[in-house]
Amino acid sequence: MNSIKKTALTFFMAISLGAASTLAFAEEAVNSPAASVAETIAHVEKALVEVNKSDFSAARLHLKAARSASEKISGNEAIVKQANASVVQGQIESSHGDVKKSADELNKALVLYKSL
């Protein structure tokens, strides 16, 4: 009976350690710069769709998410800084209700982020 308990305990510990290491690899993949670029691009694209529909409150949420995701991007700092400036300008224009100028700025940001 005692050996069955030890075997079961060993088995469950092995499974839990295996699961923990898998989670560590998944977390690494999510926090990679490429994932941050993809997440930023996705949010900017969604914001662009919302701006074109004149739904500025939803666009504002996506632009905030894009700005926070862009903070995790590393490398090519000049392009990232310029793209972030376009996102901020697009956010300002959307808060003023200017669809065309906001869409233009967001398209500039998309081109810059996609060049990374």
Side-chain angles (χ1 to χ4, degrees), residues 27-72:
E27 185 176 337
E28 246 178 61
V30 169
N31 292 333
S32 71
S36 297
V37 171
E39 181 182 358
T40 304
I41 289 171
H43 281 297
V44 172
E45 287 174 342
K46 289 175 185 175
L48 185 59
V49 169
E50 297 300 332
V51 164
N52 287 330
K53 292 192 300 187
S54 295
D55 186 3
F56 298 114
S57 61
R60 196 171 301 122
L61 292 174
H62 285 297
L63 291 172
K64 284 182 183 180
R67 289 176 63 188
S68 67
S70 70
E71 292 174 359
K72 300 173 190 166

